[in-house]
């Protein structure tokens, strides 16, 4: 693909660096940054094409903002444009979280660091609860959507139904429901723009429609190349280190997670947290919240928290390597298998995007999946709350094989509870921004911990 007239690859690269450095505030803020720069300021992409690309990215597993950057970069300069845009979107956050992971592992037991993360993790709990309200308002618009959310919550919280099965069941139910009752199941509709908004990319594609035309041969090449890049590192590690290696376990686990991250990072975090903490023992529940706090306060997609999990898992199971070198390898591998699929979905599917325009079944499936995600995030919020607010949480088996998490009330941490409640009130009642709330909570937590010892 040639570049649109007036947009050099060097100029576009400078813009993607700018987007990556400003990508704070979650997907809504990141998408707003891209819209302001590419649509309003540069006029490289029209409002119509921007929203059409965004609607497609919302249907994919993975961080929609990073995939939107990849898609728009592909429109501008083909595959190299997509690679640069998607990579630069992730790079600032990767470097920052890697540095923070080193500091966390080295100084975790130091009082000042522990005090800093004490307030931060309480505020992150409030951020997760706020996400339940925010996404719920968007999708829980009728009794059917509420029922899907409730079933998802009961399934994952009480019966530990795997998150991928919840996504699959909700998606299939949405497809059927969209055909039978579109008025009930299609509650998330594609965003539309006014026609007649010319931009450089649109003019180019009008002149050269073959640039984005689907091709079976090209699709096979893209699929083969991305699949090789995705799985070759895991296969080599398994060959030399064996299947029981922590690196192979992380590569396989996070590859699975990358294929089911529908509905945003908060949805899959419950799956990631419970598996990483309870099944693999890579880190503690409180440490998972610390990692989430890092991802919330650094540029890039929230799913970058997987990098911290990969670092800590390898750091604590280094094999014959230096623990810090092992942690770095785990962080790189985890990031690799998380984001290579994102490039695959875009490079493979973008040429077929016109086929997806107005697809009612896909909108219904997305609606049902997002409703289920509300229940999954509620599960995450309660699971985090139990481990942040109470020092001791017992697990019991209830009727019909239910899993019951029972906190010991005497171990309640009133300070952590107070910070979490105050942070939630600040965001819901006073519409305070996430970064100021996280910063204030970290400062309060540090002050209280250092003063009270």
């Amino acid at each position: 693909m040639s570049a649109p007239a007036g947009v050099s690859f060097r100029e576009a690269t400078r813009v993607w660096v700018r987007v990556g450095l400003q990508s704070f505030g979650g997907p809504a803020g990141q998408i707003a940054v891209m819209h302001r720069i590419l649509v309003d300021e540069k006029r490289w992409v029209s409002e119509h094409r921007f929203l059409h690309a965004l609607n497609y990215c919302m249907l994919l597993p993975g961080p929609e903002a990073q995939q939107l950057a990849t898609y728009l970069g592909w429109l501008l300069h083909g595959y190299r444009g997509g690679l640069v845009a998607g990579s630069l979107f992730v790079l600032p956050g990767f470097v920052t979280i890697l540095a923070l992971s080193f500091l966390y592992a080295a100084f975790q037991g130091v009082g000042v660091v522990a005090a800093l993360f004490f307030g931060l993790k309480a505020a992150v709990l409030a951020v997760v609860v706020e996400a339940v309200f925010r996404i719920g308002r968007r999708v829980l618009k009728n009794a059917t959507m509420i029922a899907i959310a409730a079933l998802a919550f009961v399934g994952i919280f009480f019966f530990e139904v795997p998150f991928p099965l919840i996504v699959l069941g909700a998606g299939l139910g949405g497809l059927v429901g969209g055909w039978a009752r579109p008025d009930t199941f299609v509650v998330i509709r594609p965003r539309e723009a006014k026609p007649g908004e010319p931009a450089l990319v649109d003019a180019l594609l009008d002149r050269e429609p073959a640039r984005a035309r689907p091709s079976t041969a090209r699709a096979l090449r893209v699929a083969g190349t991305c699949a090789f890049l995705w799985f070759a590192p895991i296969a080599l590690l398994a060959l030399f280190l064996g299947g029981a290696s922590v690196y192979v376990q992380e590569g396989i686990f996070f590859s699975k997670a990358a294929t089911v991250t529908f509905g945003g990072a908060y949805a899959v975090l419950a799956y990631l947290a419970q598996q990483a903490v309870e099944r693999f023992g890579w880190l503690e529940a409180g440490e998972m919240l610390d990692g989430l706090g890092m991802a919330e306060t650094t540029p890039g997609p929230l799913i970058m928290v997987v990098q911290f999990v990969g670092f800590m898992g390898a750091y604590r199971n280094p094999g014959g390597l230096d623990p810090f070198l092992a942690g770095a390898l785990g962080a790189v591998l985890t990031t690799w298998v998380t984001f290579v699929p994102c490039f695959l979905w875009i490079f493979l599917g973008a040429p077929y995007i016109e086929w997806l325009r107005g697809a009612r079944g896909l909108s219904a499936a997305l609606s049902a999946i997002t409703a289920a995600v509300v229940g999954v995030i509620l599960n995450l919020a309660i699971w985090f709350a139990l481990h942040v607010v109470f020092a001791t949480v017992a697990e019991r088996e209830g009727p019909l094989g239910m899993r019951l998490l029972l906190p010991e009330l005497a171990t309640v941490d009133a300070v952590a509870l107070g910070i979490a409640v105050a942070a939630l009130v600040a965001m819901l009642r006073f519409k305070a921004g996430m970064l100021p709330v996280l910063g204030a909570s970290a400062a309060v937590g540090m002050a209280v911990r250092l003063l009270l010892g």
Side-chain angles (χ1 to χ4, degrees), residues 165-346:
L165 289 182
I166 291 176
V167 170
L168 179 62
L172 291 175
L175 284 172
V176 174
W179 174 77
R181 293 287 304 275
D183 56 321
T184 299
F185 279 84
V186 183
V187 297
I188 297 180
R189 302 179 186 277
R191 294 160 67 179
E192 298 179 351
K194 297 177 181 178
E197 297 168 333
L200 291 172
V201 165
D202 302 75
L204 177 67
L205 293 181
D206 287 341
R207 291 197 311 268
E208 305 175 32
R211 293 173 77 248
R213 185 172 295 156
S215 164
T216 301
R218 181 170 58 188
L220 291 174
R221 287 196 302 271
V222 167
T225 301
C226 290
F228 175 79
L229 292 172
W230 186 355
F231 295 111
I234 304 174
L236 288 174
L237 289 168
L239 180 64
F240 288 102
L241 301 178
S245 163
V246 66
Y247 310 105
V248 176
Q249 290 180 342
E250 288 183 344
I252 294 174
F253 172 69
F254 287 106
S255 291
K256 292 178 181 177
T259 64
V260 294
T261 50
F262 296 92
Y266 284 114
V268 78
L269 278 177
Y271 174 58
L272 292 176
Q274 290 170 338
Q275 292 291 304
V277 172
E278 298 174 1
R279 178 184 172 191
F280 295 106
W282 290 332
L283 71 177
E284 301 294 330
E287 293 172 335
M288 185 71 194
L289 271 169
D290 293 338
L292 186 54
M294 290 183 194
E296 291 276 21
T297 52
T298 52
L302 181 60
I303 198 63
M304 291 300 294
V305 68
V306 302
Q307 175 191 343
F308 174 75
V309 177
F311 182 97
M312 295 303 296
Y315 174 81
R316 289 188 171 139
N317 301 275
L321 297 178
D322 173 81
F324 287 100
L325 177 60
L329 178 59
V332 171
L333 176 66
T334 299
T335 305
W336 181 266
V337 300
T338 298
F339 286 98
V340 168
C342 295
F343 291 101
L344 170 61
W345 313 142
I346 296 301

